[in-house]
Amino acid sequence: MKKFLATLLLLTLPATASAMSLNEATNTALENNPNLQNSRLAIEVAEKSLKIARGNKGASISVSGGANTSKTEGTDNTQGVNARITGSVPLYTGKRLESQIKSAELEIDISKLEYIQAQEDLIYSVAKAYIDALENWANTQVYLQTEENLADHEKNIAEMYSAGSKAKIDLLRAQVETANAQQDTAKSHAAYEISLTNLATLMAMDSIANLSVEHVATSMSLGELNDYLVQAIENRPDLRATALKVDQGEYALEVAKSGNRPSVSAEVGAGVDANRTDEWSHSANASAGLSASWNIFDSGIVKAEIKKAQHELDQLNLTMKNEINSVSEEVITAYKNLKIALIRLRTTKKAVDLAEEERYIAIERYRAGEGILLDVLDSEVSLTTAKKNHVSATYDVARYKFDLSHAIGDTLSAMQ
């Protein structure tokens, strides 16, 4: 049994010298996570789209040419070739091209904000996985200590049984409780390894063989709720991105409305024609001017497009309001959870001290023959429960600290 305890302790205890800090885990994830890399590529796509939008407003040059031959009864064959180069520049498009360029510029800003939000989300996910691993490790240490305590009880009872001062049923019960404690320790260790696997996945690591975690700070001072709410509205990258999407919706409405407006462009062209009946003759030509178009009837297509763009803009405004409400709810929930966790951290520490004292009294009474084994076992259960509650409160403080920082759009602040 002692060999089993020592082996399991060696497996579960993080190696402090080689443990990966939360900062290191976060940096590794930021460098390797494929989802974040995909989000970074979206910025490049948006930049290419802006180049296309700006290109539509610039000059365009086209070249055309052709060749033909004809034959009329009673005449000779006639052959001809022609070539022409034409340049055009849009002068007025009813704000269509300008709105498309502005929208493309906003898309770059939106992509950058979404990338920042993706970083925030990844840091948050890594922190939560890291804290889960720490909590499971700490629970494993609680179970290991309980297992060791019960093994000591079993040894003492075995000695008293051999001396004839205790009944065999006490020894059997002690052996059962020790075996049960071993199962609890094994399950807790498995949960620790699973949480390490989740952490490794976020960091794009293939194995947890050399992965362990170290303690994170849980002390903090909690500010005023209204301050956090203001910070969230001002700082959240996803809220800022949604606000820009509303602006995009307004430009999309302008693009739709441009269908009711005329468009004007300037054109210049030059060409050459060559014809041959008996011999070739050539002629050159050039042209310059303005062209205008105005769609006065299209079976209601432009009108429908305007209504569609207006409805989409209304949807974006509603989405913005809903996101603000959701963010406020996130902040309030995280704030209250953290406030309660800080209170629990103090009360659970006191409960551990009381449970330690209760266990000591129960053991001494049993050894003196004044108590029963059930009192000892109950005191062990109480102590284990108190320690687990303290572990839960400790890492809930760390967890809700990150919840609140993520809710206000500043996840990194929780790591300081």
Side-chain angles (χ1 to χ4, degrees), residues 134-154:
L134 275 173
E135 183 172 3
N136 286 323
W137 171 79
N139 280 329
T140 301
Q141 307 316 301
V142 172
Y143 284 122
L144 276 170
Q145 186 60 58
T146 300
E147 182 182 337
E148 187 173 313
N149 291 344
L150 289 171
D152 288 339
H153 290 321
E154 179 186 339

Side-chain angles (χ1 to χ4, degrees), residues 385-398:
T385 300
K387 286 182 176 180
K388 284 183 60 183
N389 287 340
H390 186 58
V391 167
S392 174
T394 298
Y395 293 107
D396 273 352
V397 169

Side-chain angles (χ1 to χ4, degrees), residues 227-237 239-240 408:
D227 293 338
Y228 293 117
L229 290 170
V230 171
Q231 289 180 56
I233 301 303
E234 293 178 350
N235 297 338
R236 284 278 293 244
L239 284 184
R240 291 158 59 195
I408 65 173

Side-chain angles (χ1 to χ4, degrees), residues 256-263 292-303 305:
K257 289 179 178 179
S258 69
N260 282 331
R261 300 166 184 154
S263 60
S293 64
W294 195 346
N295 188 4
I296 60 175
F297 180 73
D298 61 0
S299 300
I301 293 176
V302 171
K303 185 177 180 180
E305 288 178 345

Side-chain angles (χ1 to χ4, degrees), residues 67-82:
N68 62 78
T69 181
S70 64
K71 168 69 176 170
T72 303
E73 186 177 352
T75 64
D76 294 332
N77 285 338
T78 300
Q79 297 175 333
V81 294
N82 63 82

